[in-house]
Amino acid sequence: MLVVMKAQATPEEIQAVCDQITSMGFRPHPLPGAQRTAIGITGNQGEVDRGNLEELSGVAEVIRVSKAYKLASRDVKEEDTIIHFPATETCPEATIGGRNLAVIAGPCSIESRTQAFEIAEIVAAGGAQFFRGGAFKPRTSPYAFQGMGLEALRIMAEIRARFGLRIVTEALDNESLELVAEWADVIQIGARNMQNFSLLKKAGKLRKPVLLKRGLCATLEEFLMSAEYIMSEGNYQVILCERGVRTFADHTRNTMDLSIVPAVQKVSHLPILVDPSHATGKRDKVLPMARAGAAVGADGILVEVHNHPEKALSDGPQSIYPEQFAQMMNEIEQIAPIVGRKLTRVIPVAAAQTHGD
Ligand code: PEP
Ligand code: MN
């Protein structure tokens, strides 16, 4: 159920409707839009008794939302969600969603301070706003490198301060979630955890953006239901990411399902990125598929970059070289305007200050 408020409804009227929903034993989710505020109702098993909701002051109408996912749906919020990262002392303002094409780049894993700093310099020079690096790694083999943990988070905090890049890193379980929430700007929930419902709910209790990767065989509805888990707990800052799904094709690691981008955009207001690195698993396929991602209208690209991929402790074969990253930025910058977007290259605050000295 959804309560649509009148355009001129006051904050007090919105609050009164929320209080009424709470007193009915449900949870209100006020979602302000450009024209009006809509209040999603969750916590009900079946149909919500409309009670006197329709009569409350400031209410335009009460609508039934037919989709399984409610808060993630465009029925509840018509306009695109834009995740804002306000400017800080070290980082310029950034956004994910809306007109800007966001770029999140960096190594699969943080392997050492030197490795992370060298790659961060390349990522910042290319003008990306976000640096990615795994601290806690989901590995198929228990004998493979599992990540540097807290030490990696500390290194990335230094990178943020030095280069003005925001940090995106994966939380693997409930323990690492707390650490990641403390140190990172965006919490990544990986493909293998897309249906780890307790982790999703815990991330929903936080007030930090969550980058949710699509599961290896998740349908669009399952993907959005996982986003809904996070949102149902009050965290509406969810960024989706298509990272390839399992198919019979064996020429690539996974199959990049590009058509999920317009399919998501039709039914959901949440931003959706594409990850051509995990989707293809092969360096020579990453640039063409990044171009395709920009062309299909994705809200951004997540890409693995390494200065010595042959020595990388994880995902070396799919990590692109620094020169390829620069080329990717140039290419997607040219494609972006064709689909009504813009790649805003960021001049890091720290670098801008250094140049000004
Ligand atoms: C990653 O981003 O390095 C990663 C492990 O991604 P995914 O969960 O998509 O496999
Ligand atoms: Mn990886």
Side-chain angles (χ1 to χ4, degrees):
M1 197 77 91
L2 170 69
V3 180
V4 181
M5 301 300 292
K6 289 180 182 155
Q8 66 278 17
T10 65
E12 292 74 27
E13 285 170 331
I14 294 169
Q15 189 55 48
V17 174
C18 290
D19 291 344
Q20 174 68 17
I21 294 166
T22 308
S23 75
M24 290 159 77
F26 306 127
R27 183 168 182 161
H29 299 268
L31 298 165
Q35 306 298 329
R36 43 58 169 182
T37 290
I39 307 171
I41 304 177
T42 62
N44 52 304
Q45 294 302 329
E47 187 106 339
V48 174
D49 174 11
R50 289 165 190 244
N52 63 350
L53 285 173
E54 247 151 1
E55 276 82 65
L56 293 182
S57 153
V59 172
E61 56 181 331
V62 180
I63 304 172
R64 218 183 137 252
V65 181
S66 53
K67 301 224 170 51
Y69 45 88
K70 318 260 175 223
L71 304 172
S73 129
R74 276 213 196 266
D75 295 353
V76 169
K77 185 168 179 274
E78 229 174 285
E79 53 283 319
D80 295 342
T81 284
I82 302 176
I83 317 276
H84 288 280
F85 299 84
T88 65
E89 248 175 57
T90 45
C91 297
E93 187 190 4
T95 53
I96 297 184
R99 209 170 119 66
N100 269 341
L101 186 64
V103 175
I104 302 175
C108 180
S109 304
I110 300 297
E111 301 166 7
S112 70
R113 193 173 179 280
T114 308
Q115 171 251 18
F117 266 69
E118 283 176 8
I119 300 172
E121 193 166 357
I122 295 156
V123 168
Q129 312 96 313
F130 298 88
F131 179 77
R132 59 145 293 147
F136 303 93
K137 294 305 301 176
R139 303 304 302 280
T140 304
S141 165
Y143 309 118
F145 177 62
Q146 305 282 311
M148 286 174 66
L150 178 58
E151 206 184 327
L153 297 178
R154 291 211 171 99
I155 292 170
M156 286 189 279
E158 275 188 65
I159 284 176
R160 175 174 45 220
R162 168 69 184 85
F163 297 102
L165 292 163
R166 308 217 181 225
I167 304 303
V168 181
T169 193
E170 177 167 356
L172 204 54
D173 45 32
N174 287 342
E175 296 89 73
S176 51
L177 178 63
E178 274 170 33
L179 276 173
V180 166
E182 191 184 321
W183 290 86
D185 299 291
V186 178
I187 303 160
Q188 178 172 323
I189 295 192
R192 289 154 195 84
N193 266 323
M194 190 206 83
Q195 286 190 317
N196 180 342
F197 301 119
S198 72
L199 185 64
L200 298 175
K201 278 196 206 168
K202 212 157 173 234
K205 293 202 167 55
L206 303 171
R207 293 295 173 265
K208 251 208 178 156
V210 176
L211 172 72
L212 178 67
K213 297 188 95 179
R214 182 183 181 189
L216 274 72
C217 58
T219 63
L220 182 149
E221 183 162 313
E222 287 163 347
F223 193 14
L224 290 177
M225 286 309 282
S226 292
E228 189 80 13
Y229 259 95
I230 301 168
M231 300 175 86
S232 69
E233 297 291 338
N235 188 354
Y236 309 121
Q237 297 187 291
V238 179
I239 303 145
L240 304 168
C241 181
E242 158 60 25
R243 45 80 70 209
V245 288
R246 277 280 161 87
T247 68
F248 53 81
D250 58 3
H251 58 280
T252 47
R253 183 177 176 186
N254 294 293
T255 295
M256 189 156 157
D257 178 14
L258 279 170
S259 66
I260 200 165
V261 173
V264 161
Q265 288 168 342
K266 185 168 181 195
V267 295
S268 175
H269 53 86
L270 296 174
I272 178 161
L273 315 180
V274 294
D275 167 358
S277 305
H278 293 87
T280 65
K282 295 189 176 163
R283 185 177 305 122
D284 64 336
K285 313 283 185 298
V286 172
L287 261 66
M289 296 314 280
R291 295 197 294 267
V296 83
D299 293 285
I301 313 285
L302 181 147
V303 67
E304 288 185 342
V305 182
H306 205 292
N307 50 347
H308 300 292
E310 58 292 338
K311 292 198 199 131
L313 296 181
S314 61
D315 285 348
Q318 68 191 35
S319 301
I320 56 172
Y321 288 106
E323 318 77 71
Q324 289 178 303
F325 177 65
Q327 189 185 338
M328 185 198 91
M329 293 298 275
N330 286 338
E331 290 177 352
I332 61 173
E333 186 172 38
Q334 292 176 61
I335 293 167
I338 301 171
V339 290
R341 290 185 188 266
K342 189 172 182 330
L343 177 78
T344 310
R345 298 219 198 197
V346 174
I347 303 166
V349 177
Q353 280 166 356
T354 319
H355 287 306
D357 284 344

